[in-house]
Amino acid sequence: MGMSLFGQNAAPNGATIEVPTGFATHLRWIPRLGDIFPNFSIPYGDGEFHFHDWAEGSWVYFFSHPQAETPVCSTEIADVAAHGDELARRGAKALNISTDSAEVQQAWIAEIERIFGVTVDFPLLSDPEGRVVSVCDMVHPHEDALLCVRKGFIIDPSLRIRMIFEYPLNVGRDFEEVLRVIDALRATDHNDLVAPGGWMPGDPLMVSPALGTAAARDRFGARLRVLNPYMRLLQPPQTR
């Protein structure tokens, strides 16, 4: 898919973001499931952060928060940091962005680490002019005209958006759900399976309607349990 650089309207701090060709002139691009997440560059530390270079080949949880040095955001950053090993086991990593300045973020990270006893070892990007967060639909005027909502994307190793979460300013997120969705996506990709409501790792998956029962029996054998033509459970493999 062709990509067009929005460089002419880059933010004063040097942030740029690319969107699919055509959206730049007559439509506002909004991220949707199945889209390639746009590439962007933004100042970070002593250099520049390039999203595609950093993300490609890994599962990514990219999320925004409204404001540093606030109670709910602090608990969310601490929760993600506490699950760093869980992300790594899934071949995944976290990335955060907000309109806070880098200086405020650094002082805030130190406070989070002191209070919660965690190490915040994932990037917190600073987008003070809101260039990236606005294009990525992270600012909702009905919530706040300046601050990000609690928006999150699960992006797969091929850079496609696979899940979108949106929470209001006054309700914190449950990071366990992020892990559950990553597990479900990894378990069902490319094998005609789907994850039922409330699925957790170790629970039975279900056969997609796209695969007939006869073909499912051939593929899965005794692990398949047919309840009716569209309710077909796949028991997890036996472990020793």
Side-chain angles (χ1 to χ4, degrees), residues 102-141:
E103 293 76 19
V104 168
Q105 286 180 339
Q106 289 305 309
W108 182 45
I109 288 170
E111 278 290 281
I112 290 171
E113 293 182 334
R114 179 183 67 82
I115 292 170
F116 294 95
V118 297
T119 299
V120 180
D121 58 0
F122 56 89
L124 274 68
L125 303 181
S126 173
D127 185 22
E129 288 81 19
R131 176 66 183 146
V132 174
V133 298
S134 294
V135 173
C136 293
D137 199 38
M138 291 171 162
V139 178
H140 294 189

Coordinates of all heavy atoms in Angstrom, one line a residue, residues 102-141:
A102 N 8.8 15.7 27.6 CA 9.8 14.7 27.9 C 10.3 14.9 29.4 O 10.5 14.0 30.1 CB 10.9 14.6 26.9
E103 N 10.5 16.2 29.7 CA 11.0 16.5 31.1 C 10.0 16.0 32.2 O 10.4 15.4 33.2 CB 11.3 17.9 31.2 CG 12.4 18.4 30.3 CD 12.1 18.6 28.9 OE1 10.9 18.6 28.6 OE2 13.0 18.6 28.0
V104 N 8.7 16.3 32.0 CA 7.7 15.9 32.9 C 7.6 14.4 33.0 O 7.5 13.8 34.1 CB 6.3 16.5 32.5 CG1 5.2 15.8 33.3 CG2 6.4 18.0 32.8
Q105 N 7.7 13.7 31.8 CA 7.7 12.3 31.8 C 8.8 11.6 32.6 O 8.6 10.7 33.3 CB 7.7 11.8 30.4 CG 6.4 12.0 29.6 CD 6.6 11.5 28.2 OE1 7.7 11.3 27.6 NE2 5.4 11.2 27.5
Q106 N 10.0 12.1 32.5 CA 11.1 11.5 33.2 C 11.0 11.6 34.7 O 11.2 10.7 35.4 CB 12.4 12.2 32.7 CG 12.8 11.9 31.3 CD 12.9 10.4 31.1 OE1 13.6 9.6 31.8 NE2 12.3 9.9 30.0
A107 N 10.5 12.8 35.2 CA 10.3 12.9 36.6 C 9.2 12.0 37.1 O 9.3 11.4 38.2 CB 10.0 14.4 36.9
W108 N 8.2 11.9 36.3 CA 7.0 11.0 36.6 C 7.4 9.5 36.6 O 7.0 8.8 37.5 CB 5.9 11.3 35.6 CG 4.6 10.5 35.8 CD1 3.9 10.4 36.9 CD2 3.9 9.9 34.8 NE1 2.8 9.7 36.7 CE2 2.7 9.4 35.4 CE3 4.0 9.7 33.4 CZ2 1.7 8.7 34.7 CZ3 3.0 9.1 32.7 CH2 1.9 8.5 33.3
I109 N 8.2 9.1 35.7 CA 8.6 7.7 35.6 C 9.4 7.4 36.9 O 9.2 6.3 37.5 CB 9.5 7.4 34.4 CG1 8.7 7.4 33.1 CG2 10.3 6.1 34.5 CD1 9.5 7.4 31.8
A110 N 10.3 8.3 37.4 CA 11.0 8.0 38.6 C 10.0 7.9 39.8 O 10.3 7.0 40.6 CB 12.0 9.2 38.8
E111 N 9.0 8.7 39.8 CA 8.0 8.5 40.9 C 7.2 7.2 40.8 O 7.0 6.6 41.8 CB 7.0 9.7 40.8 CG 7.5 11.0 41.4 CD 7.6 10.9 43.0 OE1 6.5 11.0 43.6 OE2 8.7 10.6 43.5
I112 N 6.9 6.8 39.6 CA 6.1 5.5 39.5 C 7.0 4.4 39.9 O 6.6 3.5 40.7 CB 5.7 5.3 38.0 CG1 4.6 6.3 37.6 CG2 5.3 3.9 37.7 CD1 4.3 6.4 36.1
E113 N 8.3 4.4 39.5 CA 9.2 3.3 39.9 C 9.4 3.3 41.4 O 9.5 2.2 42.0 CB 10.5 3.5 39.2 CG 10.4 3.3 37.7 CD 11.7 3.4 37.0 OE1 12.6 4.1 37.5 OE2 11.9 2.8 35.9
R114 N 9.4 4.4 42.1 CA 9.6 4.5 43.5 C 8.4 4.0 44.2 O 8.5 3.2 45.2 CB 9.9 5.9 43.9 CG 10.1 6.1 45.4 CD 10.4 7.6 45.8 NE 9.2 8.4 45.6 CZ 8.2 8.5 46.4 NH1 8.2 7.8 47.6 NH2 7.1 9.3 46.1
I115 N 7.2 4.4 43.8 CA 6.0 4.1 44.5 C 5.6 2.7 44.3 O 5.1 2.0 45.3 CB 4.8 5.1 44.1 CG1 5.1 6.5 44.6 CG2 3.5 4.6 44.6 CD1 4.2 7.5 44.0
F116 N 5.7 2.2 43.1 CA 5.1 0.9 42.7 C 6.2 -0.2 42.7 O 5.9 -1.4 42.6 CB 4.4 0.9 41.4 CG 3.2 1.8 41.4 CD1 3.2 3.1 41.0 CD2 1.9 1.2 41.8 CE1 2.1 3.9 41.0 CE2 0.8 2.0 41.8 CZ 0.9 3.4 41.4
G117 N 7.4 0.1 42.8 CA 8.5 -0.9 42.8 C 8.7 -1.6 41.5 O 8.9 -2.8 41.5
V118 N 8.5 -0.9 40.4 CA 8.6 -1.5 39.1 C 9.7 -0.8 38.3 O 10.2 0.3 38.7 CB 7.3 -1.4 38.3 CG1 6.2 -2.2 39.0 CG2 6.8 0.1 38.1
T119 N 10.1 -1.3 37.2 CA 11.0 -0.6 36.3 C 10.2 -0.3 35.0 O 9.7 -1.3 34.3 CB 12.2 -1.5 35.9 OG1 12.9 -1.8 37.2 CG2 13.1 -0.8 35.0
V120 N 10.1 0.9 34.6 CA 9.4 1.3 33.4 C 10.5 1.3 32.3 O 11.2 2.2 32.1 CB 8.8 2.7 33.5 CG1 8.1 3.1 32.2 CG2 7.8 2.8 34.7
D121 N 10.5 0.1 31.5 CA 11.6 -0.1 30.6 C 11.0 -0.1 29.1 O 11.7 -0.6 28.2 CB 12.3 -1.4 30.8 CG 11.4 -2.6 30.8 OD1 10.2 -2.4 30.6 OD2 11.9 -3.7 31.0
F122 N 9.9 0.6 28.9 CA 9.3 0.7 27.6 C 9.3 2.2 27.3 O 9.2 3.1 28.2 CB 8.0 0.1 27.4 CG 6.9 0.5 28.4 CD1 6.1 1.6 28.1 CD2 6.7 -0.1 29.6 CE1 5.2 2.1 29.0 CE2 5.8 0.3 30.5 CZ 5.0 1.4 30.2
P123 N 9.3 2.6 26.0 CA 9.3 4.0 25.7 C 8.0 4.8 26.0 O 6.9 4.2 25.7 CB 9.6 4.0 24.1 CG 10.1 2.7 23.8 CD 9.4 1.8 24.8
L124 N 8.1 5.9 26.6 CA 7.1 6.9 26.7 C 7.4 8.1 25.8 O 8.3 8.8 26.0 CB 6.9 7.4 28.1 CG 6.1 6.6 29.1 CD1 6.7 5.2 29.4 CD2 5.8 7.3 30.4
L125 N 6.6 8.2 24.7 CA 6.9 9.2 23.7 C 6.2 10.5 24.1 O 5.1 10.5 24.6 CB 6.4 8.7 22.3 CG 7.0 7.4 21.8 CD1 6.5 7.1 20.4 CD2 8.5 7.5 21.8
S126 N 6.8 11.6 23.7 CA 6.3 13.0 24.0 C 5.9 13.6 22.7 O 6.7 13.8 21.8 CB 7.4 13.8 24.7 OG 7.0 15.1 24.8
D127 N 4.6 14.0 22.6 CA 4.0 14.6 21.4 C 3.3 15.9 21.8 O 2.1 16.0 21.8 CB 3.1 13.6 20.8 CG 2.5 14.1 19.5 OD1 3.1 15.0 18.8 OD2 1.4 13.6 19.1
P128 N 4.0 16.9 22.3 CA 3.4 18.1 22.9 C 2.4 18.8 21.9 O 1.4 19.4 22.4 CB 4.6 19.0 23.3 CG 5.7 18.1 23.4 CD 5.5 17.0 22.4
E129 N 2.8 18.9 20.7 CA 1.9 19.5 19.7 C 0.7 18.6 19.2 O -0.1 19.1 18.5 CB 2.7 20.0 18.5 CG 3.6 21.2 18.8 CD 4.9 20.7 19.4 OE1 5.3 19.5 19.3 OE2 5.6 21.6 20.0
G130 N 0.7 17.4 19.6 CA -0.4 16.5 19.3 C -0.4 16.0 17.9 O -1.5 15.6 17.4
R131 N 0.7 16.1 17.2 CA 0.7 15.7 15.8 C 0.3 14.2 15.6 O -0.6 13.9 14.8 CB 2.0 16.0 15.2 CG 2.2 15.6 13.7 CD 1.3 16.3 12.8 NE 1.4 15.9 11.5 CZ 0.4 15.8 10.6 NH1 -0.8 16.2 11.0 NH2 0.6 15.4 9.4
V132 N 1.0 13.3 16.3 CA 0.8 11.9 16.1 C -0.5 11.5 16.8 O -1.3 10.8 16.2 CB 2.0 11.1 16.7 CG1 1.7 9.6 16.7 CG2 3.3 11.4 15.9
V133 N -0.8 11.9 18.0 CA -2.0 11.5 18.7 C -3.2 11.9 18.0 O -4.2 11.2 18.0 CB -2.0 11.9 20.2 CG1 -0.8 11.3 20.9 CG2 -2.0 13.4 20.3
S134 N -3.2 13.1 17.3 CA -4.4 13.5 16.6 C -4.7 12.7 15.4 O -5.8 12.2 15.2 CB -4.2 15.0 16.2 OG -4.2 15.8 17.3
V135 N -3.6 12.4 14.6 CA -3.8 11.6 13.4 C -4.3 10.2 13.8 O -5.1 9.5 13.1 CB -2.5 11.5 12.6 CG1 -2.6 10.6 11.4 CG2 -2.2 12.9 12.0
C136 N -3.8 9.7 14.9 CA -4.1 8.3 15.4 C -5.4 8.3 16.1 O -5.8 7.3 16.7 CB -3.0 7.7 16.2 SG -1.5 7.4 15.3
D137 N -6.2 9.4 16.1 CA -7.5 9.4 16.7 C -7.5 9.1 18.2 O -8.4 8.5 18.8 CB -8.5 8.4 16.0 CG -9.9 8.7 16.2 OD1 -10.3 9.9 16.3 OD2 -10.7 7.8 16.4
M138 N -6.5 9.7 18.9 CA -6.4 9.5 20.3 C -7.0 10.6 21.1 O -7.0 10.5 22.4 CB -4.9 9.3 20.7 CG -4.3 7.9 20.2 SD -2.5 7.8 20.4 CE -2.2 6.1 20.3
V139 N -7.3 11.7 20.5 CA -7.9 12.9 21.1 C -9.4 12.9 20.7 O -9.7 13.1 19.5 CB -7.2 14.2 20.8 CG1 -7.9 15.4 21.5 CG2 -5.7 14.1 21.2
H140 N -10.3 12.8 21.7 CA -11.7 12.9 21.4 C -12.3 14.1 22.0 O -12.4 14.2 23.3 CB -12.4 11.7 21.9 CG -12.0 10.4 21.3 ND1 -12.7 9.2 21.5 CD2 -11.1 10.1 20.4 CE1 -12.1 8.2 20.8 NE2 -11.1 8.8 20.1
P141 N -12.8 15.1 21.2 CA -13.2 16.4 21.8 C -14.4 16.3 22.8 O -14.5 17.1 23.7 CB -13.7 17.2 20.5 CG -12.8 16.6 19.4 CD -12.7 15.1 19.8

